[in-house]
Amino acid sequence: QPEVGKPLRNCYSLPGPDFTYGIYQGERDGGVPEAIGHWDVVKARPRKKKVMPRDFVAMGRRAVEERCTTAREFALYYKFKDLRLKEDSILSKYARKIPPDMTFGRPSRPPSPFFDIMQHRFKELWMEEQRARTVVQRVVKKKKLSEGVRDNRTQYLRMHPPPKKEESFWHPQRFGKVEPQLRTFPDPDSLKKALSA
């Protein structure tokens, strides 16, 4: 069992006190005297040729000229005809001509006048706006009170009743020749009398 108040010990035995941790590097660069004494010349590497992206627009145009119609024919054409973009074409396509006197960025807002801030000018302007708003609200309120009590919807419908809908007894033509299944009237005269009412 572990000792009271102490963590568990691992099972690995550590090396002695003369052991140095880390990787030993045998090479030495000479320090400051060697850095000051002579320049370290780096040989220039040969520049690799830049691989340009494929020009799918030109390949697609030429594939149509070769009368390719299906996706498989297009894929085969792209496989055997590998056309690449020219470096000049990319620059001319994406680079815009920028005028020399153009300034980038957003214009800064005009600075707040310092004397207006010190004299609480903005507070006074806000107070004037609030006073003008309260005056307008009072005028509107007085105008509403002078107009009288507003009618509700029930009173409006009593004064202006909606037009009555006329019921239409229209039936499709296909049901015109069908005779009724039940005859509830004793004679045709009582039927005409009921329909006329």
Side-chain angles (χ1 to χ4, degrees):
Q1 291 185 355
E3 300 178 32
V4 180
K6 292 185 179 181
L8 282 169
R9 297 180 182 178
N10 56 4
C11 303
Y12 301 106
S13 58
L14 298 176
D18 56 343
F19 181 77
T20 305
Y21 292 91
I23 300 172
Y24 174 72
Q25 294 181 348
E27 298 178 1
R28 293 188 177 181
D29 56 357
V32 176
E34 189 173 342
I36 294 173
H38 66 281
W39 292 100
D40 191 6
V41 181
V42 179
K43 292 181 180 178
R45 295 179 182 176
R47 188 178 179 185
K48 292 182 180 179
K49 190 177 180 181
K50 188 176 181 181
V51 179
M52 302 300 291
R54 300 178 76 183
D55 191 359
F56 286 100
V57 176
M59 285 193 294
R61 192 182 296 119
R62 291 189 184 181
V64 171
E65 289 174 1
E66 295 290 332
R67 299 188 180 186
C68 296
T69 54
T70 62
R72 187 172 182 276
E73 291 175 355
F74 273 93
L76 288 172
Y77 189 87
Y78 292 163
K79 188 175 180 182
F80 292 110
K81 297 282 185 179
D82 189 14
L83 299 176
R84 299 283 173 171
L85 288 170
K86 296 178 181 178
E87 198 165 356
D88 300 336
S89 65
I90 288 183
L91 292 174
S92 62
K93 186 176 181 181
Y94 295 106
R96 298 178 181 175
K97 293 181 179 179
I98 300 169
D101 57 344
M102 183 174 178
T103 307
F104 294 94
R106 295 172 61 185
S108 57
R109 67 178 187 85
S112 302
F114 187 71
F115 290 104
D116 289 351
I117 295 172
M118 293 295 292
Q119 296 172 357
H120 302 287
R121 176 72 181 149
F122 298 107
K123 175 192 164 190
E124 292 172 7
L125 290 173
W126 183 80
M127 292 294 288
E128 288 175 8
E129 288 177 6
Q130 296 302 316
R131 290 188 197 105
R133 186 179 294 175
T134 52
V135 168
V136 170
Q137 288 176 352
R138 285 178 187 169
V139 170
V140 171
K141 192 173 181 181
K142 283 182 181 178
K143 191 174 181 182
K144 283 183 179 178
L145 290 173
S146 64
E147 288 176 358
V149 181
R150 188 176 175 185
D151 295 337
N152 56 15
R153 182 159 179 80
T154 307
Q155 292 172 342
Y156 178 79
L157 288 173
R158 282 178 188 163
M159 294 173 66
H160 309 282
K164 292 181 180 179
K165 293 182 180 178
E166 296 181 0
E167 295 183 7
S168 62
F169 296 100
W170 176 84
H171 298 285
Q173 292 181 356
R174 61 185 178 192
F175 298 127
K177 297 180 181 178
V178 177
E179 297 200 4
Q181 298 294 326
L182 297 173
R183 299 183 188 277
T184 56
F185 293 96
D187 53 358
D189 294 333
S190 57
L191 173 63
K192 288 179 183 178
K193 189 177 180 182
L195 289 174
S196 64

